[in-house]
Amino acid sequence: MNRRSFAQSVGSAAILSAIPRSSGSRLDLGAAKPGKVMAITAHPGDGMFTMGAVLAKQIERGGAGVLLSLSLGERGAPKNIPVAEYGAMQRRATEKATHLLGAESIFFDYRDAEIPFDEEISLKVCDAIREQQPDIVLTHWSGSWHKDHQNCHLIVRDAIFYAALETLARSRPAHVVSKVFYPENWEDAANFIPDTYLDIEAVCETWLQACDLYPMWRGQTGFFRYNDYYSSLAVMRGCLSGFRRAVTLMSDTNQRTQHLQSL
Ligand SMILES: [Zn+2]
């Protein structure tokens, strides 16, 4: 089975890779000239675990990537590490991890587990989007049990709208984000239906090294086996897409609409 027919067998899923378009009907990540991907996460750890490979892939192709964390995820501290100290560890790990990928990192100082959903934070994220000018934004899917993740989804939705609104005067001019994707996250699994598979094999080892900078990844802060889960998931998603290792994304509803003159 060649990759084109394999892709078709996956159903409506799009397969993203760096392979030239002439190889079949597969989509590429962005346009011919790779743009910037901005990942916006409630907590830097699961942001890196679920969005870092996409950032790495875009950078490997000649584009750019930035990770914005709304909090430091400090309340995931294990009992033997004070919360503030753990927050500083999370920040250092994220700075090192994004540097390893060739990406930038930005931190807001909202308290973990208390990220609000209001106009102030939505406008703050709007300003960050206008400053960074990403072509693609990644953020949490709404179907999460975690209130910070749910709020992050709503904040980013409004921030993208505000960022594009030319009549909304801010310190920087309006910016239109072309595409929005929601990555696969074990905490955001309710009604998550991936429609896009991205080949990450070329950057997978670097991304895994970046994840390994977090104590959480190594199982030192809680019960969940992040390392086993996300490294195995990449293999499993690769099996389903004809790649060696892959991550999946869910497209925002609005960008699934096709405008065709014929089928
Ligand atoms: Zn989280």
Side-chain angles (χ1 to χ4, degrees):
M1 184 184 289
N2 66 33
R3 286 192 170 180
R4 180 171 182 173
S5 60
F6 190 95
Q8 288 163 342
S9 76
V10 176
S12 60
I15 313 291
L16 303 187
S17 83
I19 295 172
R21 287 167 186 235
S22 59
S23 66
S25 62
R26 303 195 300 174
L27 301 175
D28 211 336
L29 184 62
K33 184 175 178 292
K36 180 184 267 191
V37 177
M38 185 173 188
I40 306 176
T41 180
H43 312 117
D46 58 2
M48 178 56 63
F49 306 162
T50 68
M51 307 174 195
V54 183
L55 294 177
K57 182 63 185 269
Q58 190 74 349
I59 291 161
E60 188 251 351
R61 294 179 60 244
V66 58
L67 176 65
L68 166 60
S69 302
L70 302 183
S71 81
L72 294 174
E74 69 276 7
R75 283 200 166 118
K79 284 181 182 161
N80 61 337
I81 302 177
V83 167
E85 187 181 326
Y86 184 70
M89 288 169 64
Q90 289 272 93
R91 185 180 177 117
R92 282 197 301 275
T94 305
E95 286 169 344
K96 281 185 190 170
T98 49
H99 182 74
L100 190 59
L101 303 184
E104 294 175 65
S105 54
I106 304 170
F107 303 92
F108 285 177
D109 56 2
Y110 291 94
R111 281 204 291 265
D112 184 12
E114 296 181 49
I115 294 174
F117 171 48
D118 57 28
E119 291 300 284
E120 183 189 319
I121 191 168
S122 298
L123 287 167
K124 229 177 138 176
V125 175
C126 156
D127 289 344
I129 290 170
R130 286 187 175 190
E131 182 180 358
Q132 293 294 323
Q133 301 185 305
D135 302 284
I136 298 169
V137 164
L138 312 175
T139 195
H140 294 277
W141 167 235
S142 61
S144 181
W145 67 265
H146 199 302
K147 64 189 283 285
D148 283 353
H149 293 200
Q150 292 172 17
N151 282 350
C152 185
H153 176 90
L154 296 171
I155 291 161
V156 173
R157 181 199 63 182
D158 285 0
I160 288 170
F161 169 70
Y162 286 149
L165 196 58
E166 291 191 9
T167 50
L168 180 70
R170 304 291 294 174
S171 60
R172 289 188 169 78
H175 174 75
V176 176
V177 173
S178 302
K179 293 179 183 172
V180 181
F181 291 102
Y182 310 111
E184 188 164 12
N185 184 321
W186 78 279
E187 293 176 310
D188 306 343
N191 301 316
F192 179 84
I193 303 171
D195 55 62
T196 301
Y197 286 73
L198 177 67
D199 176 8
I200 62 162
E201 181 58 23
V203 295
C204 197
E205 289 306 317
T206 305
W207 165 62
L208 292 172
Q209 280 175 32
C211 294
D212 196 50
L213 293 165
Y214 294 82
M216 189 169 80
W217 177 260
R218 290 179 256 119
Q220 295 171 359
T221 62
F223 72 94
F224 191 75
R225 293 155 55 198
Y226 284 92
N227 182 342
D228 285 343
Y229 180 79
Y230 284 110
S231 54
S232 303
L233 186 66
V235 174
M236 184 275 274
R237 290 308 191 186
C239 292
L240 292 176
S241 57
F243 299 123
R244 188 159 177 79
R245 285 178 286 189
V247 292
T248 68
L249 305 160
M250 183 172 170
S251 304
D252 186 72
T253 309
N254 293 319
Q255 74 202 36
R256 286 187 224 151
T257 303
Q258 296 187 76
H259 299 252
L260 306 174
Q261 290 187 314
S262 62
L263 287 175

